[in-house]
Amino acid sequence: MFEELLDNYLRFLESLTVEHFIRLFWFYIFFEFMRYFLLEFFVLNLWKLSKLWNKKKYAKAKKEFHFEYPLVSIIIPGKNEGKHLYKLVQSLNEQTYKNTEIIVVDDGSDDDTPTIGRDLEKAGRLDVFIRNEVRGGKASGANTALRFTKGKYIVHLDADCSYDRDAIEKIIIPFYLDKDVAGVGGNVMVRNYDESLVTTLQAIEYYDTISIGRVVTSYLGIYRIISGAFGAFRADALEQVKGWDIGPGLDGDITVKLRKLGYKIKFEQEAVCLTSVPNTVKKLTRQRLRWDKSLIRFRVRKHKDVLIPNQAFSFLNFFAFLENITYNLLLNFKWYFYLGDMLINYRSMLVNIIITNVLLYTLTNFFKFVVYSLYRARTNASYTYFLIYIPCMVFYFGYYLRVVRTIAYIQEFFFKQSYKDPWNPSKTSVHAKKMNL
Amino acid sequence: MAELKVNREESLVEFAGFKFLLINSEDGLNVDRVQFHNAVIIDGNDRAFIRQIVRRIRSDNQPDIYLKPIFILKGININDPFVNKLVDGTLFSLDQIELIIPEVERILTKTKDLHFTNSLSFEAQMIEKTISFMYTCEIQDLEPIPYIYSSNNYSYPILSVNFRQRDEHIALDILEIAEREGIFDSTYIDRIYLCPSCQGGHLTYREVCPKCGSSNSTTEDIIHHFPCAYVGPLSDFTNEIDDQLDCPKCNKRLRHIGVDYDKPSVLHECKACDHKFQDFNVKAKCLACTTDNLVEQLKGKEIRKYSLTKKGELAAINGFVSTSKDIEEIIGTVKFETFVTMLKYEIERLRQTEGASNICAVHLSNPSQIYSKMGSEVQKVLLKDLVKVIRSNIRSSDIISFQSSSTIILSMNEIPTRIAKRILSEIIDMLKRLIATTFKDIDVEFEYEVIKLDYKLSPQLHIQQLTKAFG
């Protein structure tokens, strides 16, 4: 059986011509290989060169930052996060940059978060602890925290994360490199990478899409999502956009709002944050459905004006949106088109086409993972640990995430399901839906 | 019928053989004169004057003065609860003096029951003074009264009169000691909080900024607008034109709390340091020393009602020489409880071995006479000397303890009883010689007892047997 399959496959390879190869694997060549390898690799090198080129500029910015020594307000909104607070505050108290204030907002927790928070406040480990008796949602929690801040820069964190000793310092410096920068995203890595296969695959995914992918989009000026786990903002810019809007997907939304005002958004690879990711397929699916719905809700619906030429039109914003919509939404459906194309035209070769696709993607993944290690700031585990899991990535990325994304898009596009997500209290979602927010 | 003689020049009123000191002006009082009279009558309308006189008499250290009955002439209404607890009655005129004679007689008779000793410590002295007064006036309970002039806000007049206002907290410590000594039983009345710096109870509680401690702050409700998630103080939403609430972020009008907005918390802003916060710190400023204390740092004290026990009554009659703490401080001794524990172990040991161990007691037969002639420092010297002599004549493994200020008990383990008796007899001789040379005017009488330990009996029974002969 296997020998017959192998024999058949080798015959298929022998018969492949260049034209034939392009016809059969156009999806991989034109979309995946071009965008996610060639372009990425090219930009990464440019970025690396510019980093060397700008070394002095960076040192000057760092000096300027330390000379000014601005107050940085760290805000941590959340519900039932008491158990994480001590560890988090400990990692924040360890920071190399000391002129910070820590503001925790307890958004209607029903566990012992208020007791823990008040104790930490009393002990002077955090500056302000705010308790909202009734849950208002992540956005209102963050906005409440914002009212209590005094800093020039606001760093938004998730309570279940921890941070490198120099993370706060590193995430603020980009503001001094370019005065138009209003937001900087931190580099998020997976803390529990060895907990299960699901977390290991996510760790590889984060190394690729965040540690590398965001360097590329940031360099191209189309970086579009400052993750809620670790992001820094200029306080005056946040004041201009009047804080966060209702989620889910509020971190991407605020980034767009800032970009629409003409501000630049940057990614700082060396500002490292460790987070715990979902450890089961069920939890991961739920998380990704929520994330993916926000593409429709925010890009296609709420901020569709970015695509329309008007007075506030910005080519970079347009390009960032187009890239996002093309590669996430259209490409997702184009893949089904490719599948249909193969099914209709090359049904007899389908097994060989799938095998080749898997091999092509796996080879690319291996190559990327190894070569890109030269471009990552650091990892929180040995590279070799992940190598044996790389073959799984094609199924994780190419099949599992694609299916989840398709479901999310359909749910949101046709049924506006994100407004029913219990992640947000319904009292707020009902208004957001009415106002198309 | 007895004749009433009033000599205003001499400030003397005589009736039925009793001499009353008539006090009608502050300057006229020399408290020493009180001791030559049977009672005191204060003639005056000035409440402050009356309060002053009563305080001076009751806070004196001589029983001949502080125990004397005090009456107030003219019967003005003294609405000072502190003074009311310290006087024995009122008269509308001297013609009514006959009515107070039984009271004076009773107090003076009860005073004669008392033996006064010089107590070993200030605490013991205050306890003795309080219980003597309670005994003579037949007061069973020492009740706290809420009193605005007390630094603790509660006062025990009989005891507190001995202290200046700022030192009244000492009364609470003394009462705790007296209860530990078995002089009083107590029941809970209230709880007070005192300044940790000066022990004052006059505190003003304020909500202050957790950052700088200032009480100067403003407070505003925080509003959460549901549709756009804007969160801000009420003033952000206030519309000056029509007094309605409009969202500064999305310009929508706020209509219905709970439907399109709510007020999840409040925002306090310190006007001194601009700190914004949700929870105040509560601080208690001491009005006496101006220290600003966090409420967690305040010293909590229980206010209790104290009732005199039988032991307390006996202590009032026989004199109260020392507290356990006073004698525990004497070097070379162990606490009585420790002695009993070690005795228990020794009895247990004897159950398994066939040794012979003993406990002994040395008792001062006439403690009232001795202690009344000595000051507290000399008393301490005497006790230290006694312990020193005993310690140098017994083995280092044997232990010494005070059962009371007049009874020393010690162990003599692994030694025949007859030898123990001989050693103790020699010790007594030495003690007598020591007293004769060191304290020449004092005649000290000793009794002593030695018993062999019996493993069938408890430690308590051994001690009862050992000291029963001393009465």
Side-chain angles (χ1 to χ4, degrees):
Chain A
M1 170 77 184
F2 179 73
E3 278 176 19
E4 194 185 326
L5 197 74
L6 187 68
D7 210 33
N8 191 14
Y9 184 64
L10 289 173
R11 270 206 304 276
F12 166 75
L13 285 182
E14 275 169 6
S15 66
L16 263 182
T17 61
V18 175
E19 293 82 17
H20 205 191
F21 182 77
I22 294 170
R23 173 67 188 93
L24 288 179
F25 303 104
W26 58 268
F27 188 84
Y28 169 78
I29 297 164
F30 293 111
F31 295 103
E32 304 279 353
F33 185 74
M34 292 282 197
R35 160 69 181 88
Y36 290 110
F37 183 70
L38 274 189
L39 179 69
E40 219 167 61
F41 193 57
F42 176 68
V43 174
L44 272 178
N45 285 303
L46 286 179
W47 167 75
K48 199 83 181 170
L49 282 172
S50 77
K51 231 182 143 186
L52 286 171
W53 188 257
N54 290 322
K55 221 171 176 178
K56 273 188 186 162
K57 202 177 159 197
Y58 186 86
K60 196 180 157 213
K62 188 177 174 180
K63 210 170 158 187
E64 198 185 328
F65 166 52
H66 282 285
F67 181 74
E68 186 185 332
Y69 201 58
L71 176 67
V72 175
S73 302
I74 300 170
I75 62 172
I76 307 142
K79 186 192 175 200
N80 292 345
E81 303 282 15
K83 53 188 177 292
H84 304 299
L85 281 183
Y86 181 76
K87 217 167 162 185
L88 170 69
V89 164
Q90 200 180 19
S91 94
L92 294 177
N93 291 154
E94 277 290 301
Q95 286 297 313
T96 50
Y97 189 68
K98 298 292 179 195
N99 192 17
T100 58
E101 56 169 4
I102 305 171
I103 297 158
V104 174
V105 172
D106 163 25
D107 190 28
S109 293
D110 45 23
D111 62 356
D112 50 5
T113 302
T115 320
I116 296 168
R118 294 226 156 87
D119 278 356
L120 287 168
E121 186 187 28
K122 221 162 235 181
R125 304 296 296 270
L126 55 90
D127 295 272
V128 183
F129 177 78
I130 308 295
R131 157 85 175 153
N132 283 344
E133 289 299 331
V134 188
R135 185 179 162 226
K138 188 90 171 179
S140 84
N143 289 337
T144 305
L146 207 54
R147 297 306 312 191
F148 290 83
T149 58
K150 291 199 286 271
K152 186 177 176 186
Y153 299 102
I154 313 290
V155 176
H156 181 291
L157 306 181
D158 275 352
D160 60 350
C161 300
S162 53
Y163 300 83
D164 271 12
R165 290 190 72 244
D166 57 358
I168 298 293
E169 186 178 345
K170 287 275 168 64
I171 205 167
I172 300 294
I173 292 173
F175 291 107
Y176 289 82
L177 278 167
D178 185 340
K179 297 296 173 199
D180 289 334
V181 171
V184 180
N187 190 0
V188 184
M189 292 181 189
V190 176
R191 188 200 288 130
N192 56 337
Y193 64 89
D194 55 356
E195 197 180 331
S196 64
L197 177 66
V198 180
T199 62
T200 308
L201 297 181
Q202 285 176 89
I204 300 169
E205 180 198 1
Y206 276 45
Y207 285 143
D208 185 33
T209 59
I210 297 181
S211 294
I212 293 295
R214 289 185 181 176
V215 164
V216 173
T217 51
S218 174
Y219 185 81
L220 292 174
I222 57 170
Y223 172 42
R224 58 190 173 258
I225 181 158
I226 295 176
S227 72
F230 193 24
F233 303 90
R234 250 167 57 184
D236 60 333
L238 279 186
E239 171 62 34
Q240 266 181 287
V241 295
K242 299 273 188 277
W244 284 264
D245 288 356
I246 298 169
L250 66 163
D251 34 8
D253 176 59
I254 198 153
T255 318
V256 176
K257 288 201 310 179
L258 291 170
R259 292 185 67 105
K260 278 162 96 173
L261 286 176
Y263 288 117
K264 289 180 185 166
I265 307 296
K266 291 284 171 196
F267 173 74
E268 179 49 63
Q269 196 194 41
E270 287 183 25
V272 175
C273 144
L274 298 182
T275 189
S276 292
V277 294
N279 55 357
T280 62
V281 176
K282 196 178 165 186
K283 283 184 201 164
L284 176 67
T285 307
R286 213 179 304 146
Q287 183 202 55
R288 293 308 166 96
L289 281 173
R290 194 171 65 235
W291 287 6
D292 292 333
K293 280 175 200 161
S294 65
L295 178 97
I296 302 290
R297 179 163 161 180
F298 290 106
R299 315 273 163 190
V300 179
R301 213 176 280 142
K302 186 177 170 185
H303 296 295
K304 59 178 181 284
D305 56 330
V306 169
L307 299 169
I308 302 162
N310 57 18
Q311 275 187 328
F313 180 79
S314 143
F315 179 74
L316 271 183
N317 284 347
F318 174 83
F319 185 61
F321 259 56
L322 203 64
E323 194 267 353
N324 190 204
I325 291 169
T326 309
Y327 278 90
N328 286 296
L329 179 66
L330 300 183
L331 215 63
N332 197 55
F333 290 104
K334 237 179 238 167
W335 184 82
Y336 291 104
F337 176 76
Y338 169 74
L339 200 65
D341 176 29
M342 293 302 116
L343 266 173
I344 294 162
N345 301 314
Y346 301 97
R347 188 190 291 256
S348 60
M349 286 189 255
L350 199 63
V351 175
N352 292 329
I353 291 169
I354 291 173
I355 292 171
T356 314
N357 262 317
V358 168
L359 287 173
L360 283 172
Y361 278 102
T362 306
L363 273 173
T364 314
N365 286 338
F366 264 116
F367 190 73
K368 273 173 78 172
F369 191 79
V370 175
V371 174
Y372 284 5
S373 64
L374 300 169
Y375 300 87
R376 289 188 196 101
R378 71 171 185 87
T379 56
N380 57 326
S382 156
Y383 284 118
T384 50
Y385 175 84
F386 297 102
L387 286 176
I388 53 162
Y389 296 99
I390 299 285
C392 303
M393 288 307 286
V394 65
F395 301 101
Y396 172 73
F397 254 134
Y399 297 92
Y400 165 72
L401 285 185
R402 189 160 275 146
V403 170
V404 171
R405 211 177 293 141
T406 309
I407 295 167
Y409 294 162
I410 291 169
Q411 280 183 341
E412 185 59 25
F413 200 82
F414 296 105
F415 307 103
K416 292 189 175 178
Q417 283 247 320
S418 70
Y419 298 99
K420 292 173 195 154
D421 197 318
W423 188 83
N424 231 25
S426 61
K427 65 180 180 188
T428 60
S429 293
V430 80
H431 290 281
K433 189 177 177 185
K434 219 183 332 180
M435 293 170 70
N436 250 338
L437 289 173
Chain B
M1 188 169 168
E3 190 191 348
L4 174 71
K5 287 183 192 164
V6 180
N7 182 345
R8 290 206 177 263
E9 274 179 21
E10 294 278 317
S11 302
L12 180 68
V13 175
E14 284 182 277
F15 183 78
F18 289 99
K19 287 161 86 176
F20 295 85
L21 178 65
L22 187 67
I23 302 172
N24 53 19
S25 104
E26 196 176 355
D27 297 336
L29 178 67
N30 170 4
V31 279
D32 285 345
R33 288 177 66 200
V34 174
Q35 60 187 311
F36 306 116
H37 299 76
N38 300 112
V40 175
I41 296 174
I42 305 171
D43 181 9
N45 282 321
D46 182 355
R47 291 186 176 88
F49 164 68
I50 295 170
R51 195 183 297 132
Q52 179 70 8
I53 296 297
V54 172
R55 270 187 168 272
R56 279 167 71 175
I57 296 170
R58 291 290 186 236
S59 63
D60 197 89
N61 285 329
Q62 294 184 59
D64 271 353
I65 295 172
Y66 70 75
L67 288 178
K68 285 284 158 68
I70 302 176
F71 299 91
I72 297 171
L73 189 60
K74 292 185 183 164
I76 63 159
N77 186 19
I78 306 287
N79 50 13
D80 184 332
F82 190 89
V83 173
N84 279 337
K85 290 273 178 187
L86 295 174
V87 299
D88 299 281
T90 52
L91 286 168
F92 286 99
S93 79
L94 284 176
D95 297 336
Q96 290 180 321
I97 201 162
E98 184 184 356
L99 299 174
I100 62 170
I101 294 300
E103 180 70 2
V104 174
E105 255 183 332
R106 190 182 55 77
I107 292 171
L108 294 179
T109 312
K110 294 218 91 175
T111 307
K112 280 180 193 155
D113 294 346
L114 305 177
H115 290 95
F116 297 101
T117 58
N118 282 326
S119 304
L120 201 58
S121 63
F122 172 73
E123 288 82 3
Q125 187 188 335
M126 286 298 112
I127 292 167
E128 185 182 62
K129 201 178 160 191
T130 305
I131 57 180
S132 306
F133 187 86
M134 290 174 78
Y135 177 80
T136 57
C137 294
E138 295 183 348
I139 297 168
Q140 190 58 35
D141 297 323
L142 194 61
E143 280 185 76
I145 52 162
Y147 190 53
I148 198 158
Y149 299 112
S150 159
S151 66
N152 304 337
N153 299 320
Y154 273 101
S155 187
Y156 297 88
I158 299 167
L159 176 60
S160 304
V161 72
N162 298 294
F163 303 99
R164 286 176 300 180
Q165 192 200 27
R166 67 174 186 214
D167 295 329
E168 269 190 53
H169 61 93
I170 300 172
L172 301 177
D173 299 334
I174 289 173
L175 287 168
E176 275 174 22
I177 294 170
E179 189 178 11
R180 280 205 297 275
E181 298 295 327
I183 305 291
F184 292 122
D185 281 337
S186 74
T187 49
Y188 178 87
I189 299 290
D190 202 354
R191 191 170 177 80
I192 58 164
Y193 293 90
L194 304 176
C195 167
S197 303
C198 73
Q199 320 292 322
H202 292 169
L203 304 164
T204 171
Y205 293 85
R206 298 116 65 249
E207 289 177 320
V208 298
C209 166
K211 210 102 195 171
C212 74
S214 165
S215 55
N216 188 7
S217 61
T218 54
T219 301
E220 260 194 290
D221 279 328
I222 291 237
I223 290 182
H224 167 209
H225 188 219
F226 296 162
C228 67
Y230 184 78
V231 177
L234 181 65
S235 56
D236 280 12
F237 292 82
T238 311
N239 179 336
E240 285 172 8
I241 302 163
D242 56 6
D243 214 23
Q244 293 281 346
L245 299 175
D246 291 321
C247 177
K249 183 173 174 181
C250 66
N251 293 322
K252 279 193 80 168
R253 180 143 292 183
L254 273 61
R255 300 206 178 271
H256 200 125
I257 191 161
V259 176
D260 57 352
Y261 74 98
D262 66 2
K263 294 180 174 176
S265 63
V266 287
L267 170 74
H268 305 297
E269 191 163 355
C270 176
K271 288 171 100 175
C273 71
D274 295 333
H275 182 51
K276 292 170 187 167
F277 53 96
Q278 188 183 34
D279 294 317
F280 282 114
N281 271 356
V282 178
K283 275 196 162 179
K285 189 173 201 159
C286 177
L287 298 179
C289 70
T290 72
T291 309
D292 217 356
N293 305 290
L294 281 172
V295 285
E296 296 84 350
Q297 295 166 335
L298 295 178
K299 205 170 146 186
K301 278 268 183 193
E302 281 186 3
I303 295 292
R304 306 182 76 88
K305 180 174 112 178
Y306 292 90
S307 308
L308 203 59
T309 59
K310 193 72 197 161
K311 186 179 174 188
E313 262 180 48
L314 286 173
I317 295 166
N318 298 325
F320 186 71
V321 178
S322 64
T323 65
S324 309
K325 190 172 153 275
D326 299 330
I327 46 182
E328 273 164 18
E329 282 170 1
I330 293 170
I331 296 163
T333 63
V334 297
K335 280 185 184 179
F336 183 66
E337 291 80 18
T338 314
F339 185 88
V340 174
T341 309
M342 295 186 81
L343 179 59
K344 191 176 137 198
Y345 292 144
E346 181 60 17
I347 293 168
E348 278 300 315
R349 197 182 66 83
L350 290 177
R351 198 189 295 277
Q352 288 155 33
T353 58
E354 285 188 0
S357 291
N358 313 278
I359 52 170
C360 320
V362 177
H363 179 67
L364 296 169
S365 314
N366 52 345
S368 303
Q369 287 173 30
I370 301 165
Y371 291 134
S372 60
K373 286 178 187 168
M374 291 177 175
S376 60
E377 282 311 309
V378 182
Q379 288 172 11
K380 275 186 190 163
V381 171
L382 169 72
L383 292 175
K384 276 181 192 165
D385 285 350
L386 295 181
V387 170
K388 214 190 253 174
V389 170
I390 296 169
R391 170 57 59 207
S392 58
N393 286 281
I394 59 174
R395 291 171 303 181
S396 56
S397 58
D398 293 330
I399 52 172
I400 308 170
S401 178
F402 278 93
Q403 191 198 23
S404 71
S405 58
S406 55
T407 308
I408 301 168
I409 51 175
L410 56 141
S411 65
M412 284 200 192
N413 297 337
E414 288 298 320
I415 196 170
T417 309
R418 60 185 172 80
I419 297 176
K421 277 185 178 162
R422 206 177 67 216
I423 293 170
L424 197 60
S425 155
E426 283 167 8
I427 288 173
I428 297 295
D429 288 342
M430 271 187 256
L431 291 178
K432 279 181 180 167
R433 283 202 296 277
L434 168 82
I435 303 284
T437 50
T438 318
F439 308 97
K440 285 190 175 119
D441 303 331
I442 300 169
D443 184 21
V444 182
E445 292 166 21
F446 288 106
E447 292 173 76
Y448 68 94
E449 186 67 72
V450 177
I451 60 165
K452 187 182 173 189
L453 296 184
D454 178 352
Y455 65 81
K456 293 185 196 107
L457 300 179
S458 69
Q460 285 75 16
L461 267 175
H462 278 99
I463 288 168
Q464 265 180 33
Q465 270 190 17
L466 182 71
T467 55
K468 72 178 174 194
F470 305 145

